[in-house]
Amino acid sequence: MTGERRSVFGGQVRIWGGVPLRNPVFTGRENLLLTLQRALEDRSKATVLPRALHGLGGVGKTQLAVEFAYRYADRYDIVWWIPAEQRSLVLQSLHQLGRHLDTPETEDLQQAASHVLAELATSPLRWLLIYDNANEPEEINRLMPTRGGHVILTSRNQTWSEVFDPIQVDIFDRSESVELVQKRSEAVSAEDADRLAARLGDLPLALDQAVSCQVATEMTVGEYLAELDWHVRELATPADSSRTTLVALVRLAIWRLREHAPAVAELLEMFAFLGPEPISGGLLRRGGKGTSRRRWGGRFASR
């Protein structure tokens, strides 16, 4: 469902675009979803009041927005996901939406965005725009519709709380942590899931990555935690820092990849130098014709 589509049901236009795939093991957050839904409905159609999902990195702001989009999709005629790390990405996304809305075509992205925002402000269609990772309020605020529908944004920037009422997204409750771990691996006992959650501070992203690694490597939770602690000590930074734990967690996974799948580890290290947007397959194929072809044995050049 990540692609774009325009369809007609009962004479009504339905437009869906850019929304990431739904997380099949999405866990908890029922109160937050209900709070967000009520906050969006509690406003005048004459004015758009964006709802900011605010919190530290890794607490699941984006996953919450994705789940909301799928859960409440039938209430909207338009659901459009906008990567908002950079102003240029927002302009490109609005330009793509304009093609579905049949707004005037123009190569000027700013003008195209203005056409889309004006169209949404007067359209009878029910719409939801989600600005993900909107960390620059001054840039993004001018690229939001002023009336007519609903806007959700996710951000770590506390400045949004000075502009709109934020909805705080925090770490998991322990019961949610245990539930997530056992959804990802039925073989993990509630006791071991609790140990893992306690060690990782109930941070959703860390838990998800940790249990994925633990399952893929077939380590027990005890073995995984022992290896994680070794990597924490090797980093020579405060062991009680959540940042240190996250770095150690990633370090553990990469070390395992280097041991069992060196080509994948090298590819991952290359991706670390790129932005978060989708990577062209052509880029990998062209890279396969260079030095990486000798290193990877032409794996990517042949695909």
Side-chain angles (χ1 to χ4, degrees):
M1 255 189 168
T2 56
E4 301 172 15
R5 67 175 187 267
R6 174 184 172 130
S7 51
V8 178
F9 297 96
Q12 188 72 299
V13 177
R14 297 295 298 275
I15 298 171
W16 174 282
V19 183
L21 292 174
R22 193 174 194 176
N23 184 353
V25 294
F26 180 84
T27 300
R29 306 304 202 191
E30 294 300 324
N31 287 338
L32 281 175
L33 286 164
L34 184 58
T35 297
L36 177 57
Q37 185 267 324
R38 288 174 174 172
L40 288 170
E41 294 293 343
D42 184 24
R43 61 95 181 95
S44 165
K45 190 175 177 64
T47 304
V48 170
L49 182 60
R51 297 300 176 179
L53 299 176
H54 177 265
L56 299 175
V59 295
K61 301 179 295 296
T62 295
Q63 287 297 319
L64 182 63
V66 171
E67 179 63 20
F68 184 92
Y70 282 93
R71 191 171 297 196
Y72 294 98
D74 61 349
R75 301 190 181 194
Y76 297 99
D77 305 306
I78 302 171
V79 178
W80 198 260
W81 188 276
I82 300 173
E85 294 92 345
Q86 301 171 22
R87 182 173 179 274
S88 61
L89 295 176
V90 177
L91 292 174
Q92 291 170 18
S93 183
L94 290 174
H95 181 242
Q96 292 168 356
L97 175 56
R99 292 174 176 168
H100 293 279
L101 295 174
D102 296 324
T103 56
E105 271 291 338
T106 173
E107 294 300 316
D108 185 326
L109 292 181
Q110 181 62 62
Q111 188 175 13
S114 297
H115 289 320
V116 171
L117 298 180
E119 176 66 22
L120 291 174
T122 59
S123 173
L125 298 177
R126 302 165 299 170
W127 52 262
L128 170 67
L129 302 188
I130 302 172
Y131 293 74
D132 186 43
N133 203 19
N135 291 322
E136 298 297 334
E138 292 184 3
E139 291 283 347
I140 303 303
N141 199 20
R142 293 192 291 267
L143 295 175
M144 292 182 181
T146 57
R147 55 180 295 173
H150 294 166
V151 171
I152 297 172
L153 60 91
T154 72
S155 181
R156 287 177 287 177
N157 191 333
Q158 293 184 350
T159 304
W160 285 110
S161 63
E162 301 171 5
V163 184
F164 310 117
D165 292 333
I167 295 175
Q168 188 69 28
V169 183
D170 208 341
I171 59 175
F172 271 158
D173 293 334
R174 182 56 53 83
S175 61
E176 292 175 323
S177 297
V178 172
E179 182 183 353
L180 173 63
V181 171
Q182 293 193 300
K183 279 183 177 179
R184 294 299 308 269
S185 175
E186 296 179 356
V188 177
S189 68
E191 181 181 359
D192 278 342
D194 185 85
R195 290 172 59 203
L196 190 62
R199 181 65 184 84
L200 298 176
D202 295 296
L203 186 67
L205 177 63
L207 283 165
D208 188 70
Q209 293 184 352
V211 73
S212 295
C213 181
Q214 179 259 326
V215 170
T217 58
E218 299 183 341
M219 287 189 286
T220 66
V221 169
E223 291 170 338
Y224 179 85
L225 290 176
E227 190 163 335
L228 179 66
D229 287 339
W230 181 85
H231 282 281
V232 168
R233 291 192 296 271
E234 286 293 301
L235 290 171
T237 54
D240 59 349
S241 164
S242 59
R243 181 179 178 84
T244 298
T245 301
L246 281 173
V247 172
L249 184 152
V250 174
R251 191 171 186 260
L252 187 162
I254 291 177
W255 277 45
R256 284 279 176 167
L257 278 176
R258 286 173 178 164
E259 180 180 355
H260 299 288
V264 175
E266 188 171 352
L267 185 63
L268 182 62
E269 290 168 357
M270 182 189 76
F271 286 168
F273 289 93
L274 304 177
E277 303 315 307
I279 300 169
S280 165
L283 174 65
L284 299 181
R285 286 190 289 272
R286 287 194 297 273
K289 297 176 182 177
T291 57
S292 59
R293 182 172 185 172
R294 294 192 297 273
R295 294 178 182 176
W296 296 329
R299 286 180 178 85
F300 306 113
S302 62
R303 294 187 180 181

